[in-house]
Amino acid sequence: MNRRTALAVAVGAALLAAGCTSTGSASKGADAEAPDDPAKVSGTITVLTQRTDLVQSGRMKKYADAFNQTYPKVKVEFQALTNYEAEVKIRMNTENYGDVLMIPAVIKKSDYPKFFASLGAVEERSEKFRFTGFTAVDGKVYGQAPIGVMPGFVYNKRIWREAGVTDWPTTPQAFLTALKAIKDKTDATPYYTNFAAQWTLSSWTSVNGAVHCDPKATDRLASGDPWAEGADLRVGDTLLHDIVKQGLAEKDPTTTNWELSKPQLAKGQIATQWLGTWAIVQFQDAAKQAGVNPDDIGFMPFPAQTGGKFCSTVSPDYNQAVNVHSKNKEAARAWIDWFTEKSGYDKDNLAISPLQNAPLPAVLKPYEDAGVKLIELDDTQGAKVKLIDNESEVGLYAPDYRLDLVDLARGARKGSLDDFLGDLSEKWTAAQKNVGP
Amino acid sequence: MADLAHQTTRAPGRGGARKGTRPGRPAPVPARPPRRARLLRGLTPWLFLLAPLALLITFTYVPIVNMVGYSFTDWDGVSPELRYTGGENYRELATRPDLFEVFFVSGYYLAASAVQIVAALYFATILSFNVRFRNFFKGVLFFPYLINGVAIGFVFLYFFQDGGTLDSVLALFGVHTDHAWLGTPVSANTSLAGVSVWRYLGLNFVLFLGAIQSIPGELYEASELDGANRWHQFRHIIAPGIKPVLTLTVILSVSGSLAAFEIPYIMTGGATGTETFVIQTVKLAFQFNKTGLASACAVVLLLIVLAVTWIQRRLVPDDRVDLT
C-alpha cells in the first residue's frame, strides 16, 4: 500500500465514522386506515411491482384508470422492478421504497411493524380475506396478497390421454408408471425439470403439506425433521429424484430454457412440469400463440391421497403492504383494498381469489369434481422456518439443494439419495438447535 | 473487472519503458511569487484530482471500509438492527473447510488462463509483424472483450445446448457427439473456462500487442542482419521486452481465476459443481441473508489475492527492461 492509498483509506474510514450507516431510525407501529369517503382521498402514490410485463403492456395502467373511477383524486404511479427481491431489499435501507410494495421474502416477520403500516386486526380481516396469518405480527396484519396460488403439475392432457392415463395418479409410484407410459407411447419428454431456470426446482418445497393434508405442516418444518422417513419433503424430493433417475426427465437438464418450455408443453413435446396455478395462464397463452388448443393445458395435484382425497395447499402470492414512511397512507390503503377486492386481478390470472367466499376459477373445475381438499397452511412458525433455513444454508426456498439432487439422480454427482437427504436432515436439525425455541 | 479495465489504459505505457531524458526541473524563479499565487499553484494539482479522488473514495474505499465493518456483524442485509459479533464470522470461516472447497474450481480457470496467455502471446507476436488483414484480425480477437458478460453467458447457453451451435458445428466435421456439455462437473467447468478464455483473450492480446509494438523496430532489422529467425527474435527481443506486461498479465489472470464470477453465475448459477468462491459469497449474502459472513468471505478473498500477488512479486521482481 503506497502513501496515497493509505491516505484514501484514512479518508474513507473518516467518512464511515461520520455516519454512513445510520440505522434504527424507523418509526414503529403506524396504521394505514381505510378511508371513509373515496372522493376525499388525494395524493400521488408509487406502487412497486414485480410484474414488469403488466406495466409494459399497459395492463397496470388500466387497473389504475379503473381505480380512479372510485378514487378520482389519487394518482397511481407504477415502478416495475425486474429483479424485485434484490432491488427492493437495498431500497429498504432507506425510507424511500414506494407507498405500496410487495413484501420481499428477506424481511423478517418480526420486523414487519418497522417497515409496513398495519392494515388491521387479524380477527377482523380473516373473516373476509384469506392468508391473513402469513403477515400477522402480534395480532395485526401487515400485508394482503391479491391472489392465492396452488402448487401442482401443469400437464398436456392430450399427451397423457395418448399414453393411456386418464385418471390422476394417486401415489408417487403410479405417477412414475404414468410418466413411463408417456415415454414409451409418445414422443414427448415425460417430465421437464427446467433445471437452468433454477427457481422451478425450488417450487418443489410447496409439496409440503399436500402429501399428508396437514395444515400444520410448517410447524413440522420448524420442530421436526423435514426429510424423516415418510415426511412430506422426503416424499416430494424422492419423487423428483426417481423421475430423473429413471430417465423420465429431459436429456440435458443443464441447458433448459423456461420461455421455450411453454410452447413445447402446449404443443405436446413436453408432458408435465411441477409449477403452480399461476403458470396456467402463461401456458394457455403460449398455446394460443403456437396455434394449438389451450384447453389441452391441464393441472393436477401432487400424487398422494389422505382418506381417499387429494389435498392441495393454497398460499399467498406476494403480499401487498403500505410503507410505514408513506405520506399518503390512506390512498395507499385504498389501492390495496381496491386491488384485492375489485380489480379483477385474480380472474385475469385464473388465480384463487383472496376473498374467503369467492368461487374457484373455472380452470380448476376438475379439482372440484375430484373433491380435492384445499388447505391453507398455518404460518405461525413461518418466520422460524426461514431462520432455520438461512442458518443451515439448506435453502428450502432456494434452488441449490435440488440442483444437487437432480445432479445426483442423473449421475453427475456421487452418492446415494439416503445419504444426501440424511445430510440435509443433519444440517437442518443442527440449525434448529442454534436458532432456539 | 474494473481493475482490468483500469490496467488496460496503463499497461502499454509501462511496457514501453522507453529510456528518454526526463525534462529537468524548471529554472529557479528569481523572485518568489506572492503567497497567494504560491498557494494556488500548490493547490492546482489537487483541484484536478478532486473529481477522480471523490469517485475513487466513494465507490471503492468507502464500500471496502463498510464491508470490513459488516464482516464483524451478524447483519442480514436489510434489518435495521445489527449486532457486533467480533471475530465470530472469521472463526466460522476458519472452522468450515467446506467453504474453501470451491477453490478447486478456480483450478480450471487457472489452467485456462495459462492457455489464454500462451494463445494471446502467439497472436500478438504474429500480428505485430506485417501480416495481411492484420487490423481485421486484431479486431476479431479483441471484439469478445467488448461484449457485455451477461450477453456472453446467454449466447453460450445456446452454444452448449443439446443440438446447439457447438454440436451442429461438430456435426459439420462429421463428429456426432451426444455429450451434455454442461452436464458433468469436469465438462461443465472446462466449458465455462473455455468461454472465459474466449472472452478475455482479447484483453491479454491487446496488452501484449501494445508492449511488443513499443519495442524499437531497428532491433528487428539489426537481428535480421545477424541472421536471426522469427523464433530467435521472439526469444531474445520480444519475450524480454514485454516481461513487465507478462508478469502483470499473470497476476491479473491468477486473481481473475480466484475471483471468477459472471460467466459461471449466469450460465449455470453454480450448479453441477461450477460454484466459485464469489458465487458462494453472493449466495451467502443474498440467498441466506448472511451479509456479515459474506463480507468476511470477501475480505478473506481480498487478502488471498493480495498475498498471491505479493508472492508473485517476490518470485518475479519487476525490473526495468533494457534491450540495448
Side-chain angles (χ1 to χ4, degrees):
Chain A
M1 203 186 282
N2 59 30
R3 235 176 57 214
R4 201 165 287 173
T5 334
L7 175 78
V9 169
V11 174
L15 280 178
L16 178 76
C20 285
T21 46
S22 65
T23 41
S25 63
S27 55
K28 197 178 169 177
D31 289 328
E33 305 277 356
D36 298 324
D37 182 4
K40 282 198 186 130
V41 200
S42 65
T44 304
I45 55 169
T46 307
V47 178
L48 306 188
T49 172
Q50 86 285 19
R51 295 298 300 265
T52 40
D53 54 333
L54 295 188
V55 172
Q56 266 165 16
S57 69
R59 188 79 197 94
M60 278 312 223
K61 183 81 185 53
K62 287 201 185 107
Y63 287 132
D65 290 343
F67 172 73
N68 281 139
Q69 310 228 313
T70 326
Y71 298 90
K73 286 187 190 155
V74 180
K75 193 164 179 291
V76 186
E77 284 170 359
F78 296 101
Q79 276 181 21
L81 308 178
T82 324
N83 192 352
Y84 187 80
E85 282 280 329
E87 288 176 43
V88 166
K89 177 180 161 181
I90 291 162
R91 280 177 71 167
M92 289 186 77
N93 282 303
T94 70
E95 292 186 3
N96 173 20
Y97 44 95
D99 297 287
V100 176
L101 70 157
M102 319 283 153
I103 301 181
V106 46
I107 307 291
K108 279 195 202 110
K109 213 168 167 184
S110 54
D111 282 342
Y112 283 2
K114 291 177 197 153
F115 289 109
F116 311 113
S118 158
L119 302 178
V122 178
E123 297 105 59
E124 180 200 327
R125 283 187 71 85
S126 60
E127 280 170 25
K128 192 168 175 190
F129 298 104
R130 289 174 184 269
F131 319 126
T132 43
F134 284 84
T135 56
V137 182
D138 296 333
K140 279 182 165 182
V141 178
Y142 288 89
Q144 176 63 52
I147 52 171
V149 288
M150 218 157 61
F153 287 103
V154 177
Y155 70 107
N156 187 309
K157 289 183 194 163
R158 182 173 59 85
I159 296 296
W160 277 65
R161 252 196 329 268
E162 278 173 22
V165 191
T166 44
D167 290 334
W168 291 339
T170 53
T171 62
Q173 203 47 52
F175 188 79
L176 287 169
T177 317
L179 290 188
K180 206 163 258 162
I182 292 170
K183 191 182 182 187
D184 295 341
K185 293 181 192 160
T186 71
D187 294 331
T189 304
Y191 183 83
Y192 199 71
T193 60
N194 246 321
F195 185 91
Q198 304 204 345
W199 52 264
T200 41
L201 289 168
S202 43
S203 67
W204 275 85
T205 296
S206 46
V207 166
N208 197 41
V211 181
H212 290 108
C213 209
D214 179 8
K216 292 272 182 192
T218 310
D219 293 6
R220 286 182 199 284
L221 295 182
S223 53
D225 174 2
W227 293 277
E229 208 55 55
D232 285 20
L233 282 184
R234 191 182 183 101
V235 174
D237 287 340
T238 308
L239 176 60
L240 174 63
H241 173 268
D242 292 347
I243 290 174
V244 179
K245 176 126 194 169
Q246 298 181 16
L248 301 169
E250 68 271 29
K251 197 177 84 195
D252 179 14
T254 50
T255 51
T256 52
N257 185 322
W258 159 244
E259 289 301 329
L260 275 182
S261 77
K262 293 189 236 175
Q264 282 175 344
L265 189 135
K267 284 189 242 166
Q269 290 156 342
I270 294 170
T272 329
Q273 281 201 59
W274 174 257
L275 295 162
T277 40
W278 55 267
I280 300 173
V281 87
Q282 296 192 23
F283 281 80
Q284 289 186 343
D285 283 347
K288 278 175 213 152
Q289 271 173 26
V292 290
N293 185 4
D295 292 337
D296 277 346
I297 309 290
F299 197 72
M300 73 169 88
F302 188 83
Q305 287 193 327
T306 308
K309 292 260 186 232
F310 285 106
C311 220
S312 206
T313 56
V314 188
S315 35
D317 192 38
Y318 267 126
N319 287 290
Q320 275 197 314
V322 177
N323 180 349
V324 75
H325 306 290
S326 166
K327 303 265 186 309
N328 298 304
K329 290 201 186 67
E330 273 204 336
R333 169 69 191 264
W335 169 259
I336 291 186
D337 284 352
W338 181 85
F339 198 71
T340 312
E341 294 175 51
K342 307 215 172 76
S343 66
Y345 180 70
D346 52 331
K347 291 182 194 68
D348 295 344
N349 286 287
L350 306 178
I352 293 150
S353 166
L355 298 170
Q356 290 282 16
N357 50 11
L360 277 183
V363 66
L364 292 179
K365 181 82 174 41
Y367 269 52
E368 270 169 40
D369 297 346
V372 178
K373 195 176 162 202
L374 305 191
I375 55 169
E376 201 180 305
L377 294 183
D378 174 3
D379 197 56
T380 326
Q381 296 292 319
K384 194 181 166 195
V385 172
K386 264 188 211 157
L387 269 183
I388 301 172
D389 192 36
N390 288 337
E391 172 68 23
S392 63
E393 290 168 25
V394 163
L396 275 189
Y397 307 101
D400 296 57
Y401 93 77
R402 289 204 184 82
L403 292 173
D404 290 343
L405 182 75
V406 171
D407 277 348
L408 180 79
R410 61 193 186 85
R413 189 188 162 92
K414 287 190 191 73
S416 74
L417 179 66
D418 281 338
D419 289 347
F420 183 81
L421 296 179
D423 187 41
L424 289 177
S425 299
E426 204 173 295
K427 278 191 196 161
W428 189 267
T429 41
Q432 262 171 356
K433 287 188 197 98
N434 286 344
V435 166
Chain B
M1 293 308 113
D3 281 347
L4 290 180
H6 186 64
Q7 299 284 14
T8 330
T9 51
R10 218 174 61 186
R14 289 185 59 191
R18 218 177 273 180
K19 281 178 93 179
T21 45
R22 279 174 72 189
R25 293 171 71 101
V29 193
R32 279 165 73 84
R35 232 178 125 233
R36 267 187 68 186
R38 264 187 295 140
L39 190 72
L40 208 64
R41 190 176 299 164
L43 260 171
T44 315
W46 290 101
L47 286 176
F48 278 109
L49 277 174
L50 212 57
L53 269 183
L55 290 173
L56 184 73
I57 289 170
T58 327
F59 295 110
T60 307
Y61 293 112
V62 172
I64 288 180
V65 172
N66 260 325
M67 185 184 76
V68 174
Y70 290 142
S71 74
F72 294 104
T73 69
D74 66 347
W75 197 39
D76 66 358
V78 64
S79 170
E81 287 147 18
L82 71 176
R83 275 204 326 268
Y84 280 87
T85 53
E88 180 57 32
N89 288 324
Y90 291 96
R91 194 196 58 77
E92 188 175 344
L93 271 180
T95 51
R96 277 181 59 184
D98 57 305
L99 288 179
F100 291 94
E101 274 170 21
V102 286
F103 271 121
F104 283 113
V105 174
S106 297
Y108 287 95
Y109 293 92
L110 215 53
S113 47
V115 174
Q116 178 179 325
I117 289 174
V118 171
L121 203 53
Y122 175 75
F123 286 123
T125 311
I126 296 214
L127 291 180
S128 66
F129 295 116
N130 248 333
V131 187
R132 204 175 293 175
F133 303 126
R134 58 191 273 214
N135 283 329
F136 171 73
F137 285 117
K138 278 184 205 168
V140 166
L141 283 169
F142 188 62
F143 178 66
Y145 185 67
L146 300 173
I147 309 176
N148 185 304
V150 180
I152 290 181
F154 283 117
V155 167
F156 274 91
L157 271 181
Y158 283 99
F159 183 79
F160 288 120
Q161 228 166 32
D162 181 31
T165 319
L166 183 56
D167 284 341
S168 321
V169 170
L170 287 177
L172 284 184
F173 295 99
V175 185
H176 293 277
T177 56
D178 192 27
H179 187 74
W181 295 102
L182 302 177
T184 61
V186 174
S187 161
N189 276 317
T190 315
S191 304
L192 294 180
V195 176
S196 155
V197 169
W198 182 81
R199 177 164 191 218
Y200 291 108
L201 180 73
L203 176 70
N204 287 356
F205 164 76
V206 165
L207 290 182
F208 291 145
L209 195 71
I212 291 175
Q213 288 187 340
S214 71
I215 296 171
E218 309 91 66
L219 287 176
Y220 298 118
E221 285 171 29
S223 64
E224 263 167 39
L225 287 179
D226 289 340
N229 61 18
R230 285 282 191 247
W231 166 248
H232 290 137
Q233 284 179 346
F234 175 78
R235 173 75 189 75
H236 297 288
I237 300 176
I238 296 180
I242 64 168
K243 204 178 135 204
V245 176
L246 201 58
T247 332
L248 174 79
T249 311
V250 172
I251 289 176
L252 286 181
S253 301
V254 172
S255 57
S257 311
L258 292 175
F261 172 64
E262 51 181 19
I263 288 171
Y265 189 73
I266 291 155
M267 289 184 61
T268 63
T272 325
T274 57
E275 189 167 87
T276 65
F277 193 74
V278 184
I279 293 184
Q280 178 179 268
T281 308
V282 167
K283 283 196 171 153
L284 281 177
F286 298 105
Q287 192 163 296
F288 301 116
N289 301 322
K290 295 184 173 176
T291 306
L293 182 63
S295 302
C297 285
V299 171
V300 168
L301 180 65
L302 180 71
L303 293 179
I304 292 175
V305 169
L306 285 179
V308 169
T309 312
W310 182 77
I311 292 170
Q312 249 174 347
R313 283 276 165 187
R314 274 290 136 108
L315 292 178
V316 191
D318 185 17
D319 5 273
R320 297 239 129 217
V321 188
D322 193 0
L323 285 173
T324 46

